[in-house]
Amino acid sequence: MVIGVRPRVELSGFWRFKPDPGDVGESSGWFRGFDGDLIYVPASWNEQSPDWDGYGGVAWYQYDFHVPREFSGLTAWLVFEGAGYLTRVWFNGLSIGGHEGSFTQFRLRVNGVRFGDWNRVVVKIDNTLKPDSIPPGEGMNSTYFDFYHYGGIHRPVYLEFTRECFISDLFVTTRHDGYLKVEVESNCGKTHNIALELIDSGGSTVYSRVVESRGLVAVEDRVKVEPWSIEHPVLYRLAVKLLINGEEHDEVMERIGFRTFEVRPSGFYLNGESIFLKGFGRHEDFPIFGRSLPGPVLVRDFHELKGINANSFRTSHYPYSNQHLDLADEFGILVILEAPLVGLREQHFKDQAYLAKAKAVISEMVRQHRNRPSVVMYSVANEPNSIVDEARVFLGELISHIKSIDPTRPVIYTSHRHLEDKALGLGDAIALNTYFGWYSETGDIETGVARVTKLVDEVHARYPDKPIIITEFGAEGYPGLHHDPPVAWSEEYQELFIRRYIEELSKKPYVRGLHIWNYADFRTPQNTRRVILNTKGVFTRDRRPKLAVRAIRELFAGLR
């Protein structure tokens, strides 16, 4: 639910920061205030100083700000769009709560605001990586996943204000034929009405309705609208107001599009028409900013995605920021929204407490992004080691859970265990990560291509009623490394690998999606397989194109 219209105080800017490797800050009273270095929020802490690079423990943030007197009498909420891994928050020296997880938004009610005066927020973040973290690991360079474990306040923070009665949740369902369903949950002990207004890009009202509410109300209707599509991503503004005796007490806003997405045995369909999903796995990773992608970088990325003829990406391997997905809505890019459950092992499948934690983060992810037209599918996990029976039960629980919150979207998970995978058929489509010709058959692309085409034939024979999407395939292309003939790590090898995979897999009528790994190079833990970065990106970390980009643009143009 995008708010946007409530009073707020933005807290982006230069904060005070202090690492706490001995975890002595709380007992020393740092929650009341401390002396520290300057740091910028939102951004990860790791690359803002050489002293903090590689640090993965406890650290503290502090920010002093003024709250206008005219907000007096309103209820204050401190909103974090993404911080972690473990977050605890104090406001004017008083504890107001905490949160687990780095990639989903959370809000904490604040008492004791000094209106017309200065206030202090102090945040303790523990980014220690443990086997029961989401995602799991055992240290900064002992992750169960292949991307850097950034710490900090990665996404925007602000203080938001509501009256006593406010709208607490909003779920919007649409179809391209103009079907509209709006479910509104309100926190109000008084008799009240909910007013809906649908506004087009020119500012004209195309639909409005007022209904009585007792806390939860659902409205279904048909409206005359233009559908949202890849070619024409038409967005409408849905304003939802809470009225008491005709007086407005709250208003929230959501940008919505009218579209229908389906998975059928023959493939993927947008607004009733067959579509081939062509695009990338991505990461939110950029020099200095870490997990926070600056706005200009996002704009550049989406122009490049459209220019390369891509139409989709997966939020590997965690839900992305509001800004990131706002642009997907704007540009008409389809999104597979993935939960931060990557690298799960047998111990996780047998752990009921971990299952409960996984369900909680999935709930947060879905409720935050389920109204977006760009989000067409969910992925509950990436590359679980699902070769044991417990994995099928675990992943089946997650799929059922996500469908109970949002029954309108298909659900998958991505498998690297292929035919050994005990849960492979559980999703609405089959999603495979394949690297034959890189991690195996290294240097022999044609043998790798033969293996992957044989694999998809066998998977299709076992699950003939489910389309297949290859959610990862690619090879490292070290920037500026060239060789004739193509050899592993050269840009020529990466280009040839991607070309041959696309050429051969696109001939299979049941393969209806190809996502290259990765859009851009990204930072990884230190290990002997990587030189700081994973260089499977077809763009460098700072967005310079590699040799493969030209070939991908040409090949994607022919995929329908």
Side-chain angles (χ1 to χ4, degrees), residues 57-83:
V58 175
W60 293 72
Y61 287 78
Q62 175 184 301
Y63 192 68
D64 295 340
F65 60 99
H66 189 270
V67 176
R69 190 177 302 278
E70 55 263 34
F71 294 165
S72 179
L74 299 178
T75 300
W77 305 85
L78 192 59
V79 181
F80 291 79
E81 293 191 1

Side-chain angles (χ1 to χ4, degrees), residues 9 65-68 71-78 91-92 94 96 109-120 159-161:
V9 177
F65 60 99
H66 189 270
V67 176
F71 294 165
S72 179
L74 299 178
T75 300
W77 305 85
L78 192 59
F91 197 93
N92 290 334
L94 299 176
I96 62 170
R109 183 163 179 163
V110 180
N111 295 313
V113 177
R114 298 169 186 153
F115 295 97
D117 203 348
W118 288 85
N119 294 261
R120 171 171 290 174
L159 193 65
E160 183 176 84
F161 298 88

Side-chain angles (χ1 to χ4, degrees), residues 37 66 79 95 106 140 153 160 168 202 217 289 348 358 414 424:
D37 295 309
H66 189 270
V79 181
S95 175
F106 63 97
M140 292 296 289
I153 303 176
E160 183 176 84
S168 55
V217 65
F289 288 84
H348 301 109
T414 69
L424 190 59

Side-chain angles (χ1 to χ4, degrees), residues 206-371:
V206 298
Y207 173 80
S208 63
R209 188 168 171 187
V210 179
V211 295
E212 185 179 342
S213 175
R214 296 182 179 178
L216 182 63
V217 65
V219 175
E220 288 187 85
D221 223 325
R222 296 264 180 178
V223 291
K224 188 176 181 180
V225 292
E226 293 184 63
W228 184 96
S229 67
I230 293 169
E231 297 79 13
H232 302 287
V234 179
L235 293 172
Y236 292 83
R237 188 167 74 250
L238 178 66
V240 183
K241 298 178 181 180
L242 188 154
L243 307 176
I244 300 177
N245 297 324
E247 180 186 354
E248 181 182 321
H249 278 242
D250 192 22
E251 180 181 0
V252 298
M253 182 274 292
E254 193 75 278
R255 298 183 319 153
I256 65 172
F258 288 78
R259 64 105 183 102
T260 305
F261 185 83
E262 303 167 274
V263 175
R264 304 177 190 173
S266 55
F268 305 108
Y269 290 77
L270 181 65
N271 301 338
E273 298 184 1
S274 179
I275 183 172
F276 194 101
L277 298 180
K278 46 190 178 179
F280 299 89
R282 285 171 56 78
H283 266 298
E284 290 193 326
D285 180 284
F286 199 71
I288 312 300
F289 288 84
R291 188 66 68 216
S292 177
L293 284 186
V297 175
L298 285 171
V299 170
R300 173 69 180 235
D301 282 358
F302 277 87
H303 281 295
E304 293 282 14
L305 285 168
K306 298 295 280 191
I308 207 171
N309 297 310
N311 63 16
S312 53
F313 66 80
R314 177 169 55 116
T315 68
S316 41
H317 300 295
Y318 39 82
Y320 289 173
S321 70
N322 288 333
Q323 279 189 327
H324 201 146
L325 298 183
D326 284 347
L327 288 187
D329 293 335
E330 289 277 0
F331 277 79
I333 298 292
L334 306 183
V335 174
I336 300 173
L337 184 65
E338 186 162 84
L341 293 161
V342 51
L344 302 188
R345 301 180 177 183
E346 185 175 353
Q347 68 204 55
H348 301 109
F349 306 138
K350 297 179 178 180
D351 187 342
Q352 289 300 305
Y354 198 83
L355 175 61
K357 191 156 57 172
K359 288 181 176 180
V361 74
I362 282 175
S363 296
E364 292 178 343
M365 175 187 80
V366 172
R367 289 195 170 95
Q368 184 175 345
H369 297 298
R370 63 186 175 182
N371 296 333

Side-chain angles (χ1 to χ4, degrees), residues 139 149 227 256 296 315 432 447 530 535 546:
H149 184 58
I256 65 172
T315 68
L432 304 175
T447 299
R530 307 276 184 255
T535 57
K546 299 183 189 177

Side-chain angles (χ1 to χ4, degrees), residues 14-148:
F14 295 101
W15 292 46
R16 292 290 173 183
F17 177 78
K18 191 172 185 176
D20 184 13
D23 195 11
V24 300
E26 196 167 343
S27 61
S28 301
W30 291 7
F31 53 86
R32 287 186 287 269
F34 59 87
D35 293 325
D37 295 309
L38 286 175
I39 194 169
Y40 189 79
V41 170
S44 307
W45 72 53
N46 304 81
E47 295 188 23
Q48 294 196 52
S49 168
D51 294 336
W52 309 331
D53 200 310
Y55 180 65
V58 175
W60 293 72
Y61 287 78
Q62 175 184 301
Y63 192 68
D64 295 340
F65 60 99
H66 189 270
V67 176
R69 190 177 302 278
E70 55 263 34
F71 294 165
S72 179
L74 299 178
T75 300
W77 305 85
L78 192 59
V79 181
F80 291 79
E81 293 191 1
Y85 177 68
L86 290 174
T87 304
R88 287 193 61 194
V89 185
W90 288 261
F91 197 93
N92 290 334
L94 299 176
S95 175
I96 62 170
H99 181 260
E100 181 172 0
S102 298
F103 307 108
T104 49
Q105 181 171 301
F106 63 97
R107 56 198 295 115
L108 302 171
R109 183 163 179 163
V110 180
N111 295 313
V113 177
R114 298 169 186 153
F115 295 97
D117 203 348
W118 288 85
N119 294 261
R120 171 171 290 174
V121 60
V122 175
V123 182
K124 176 186 178 182
I125 289 182
D126 186 350
N127 199 42
T128 305
L129 187 59
K130 300 177 181 178
D132 67 345
S133 300
I134 294 180
E138 299 174 32
M140 292 296 289
N141 296 315
S142 300
T143 63
Y144 295 1
F145 48 88
D146 186 30
F147 53 92
Y148 197 75

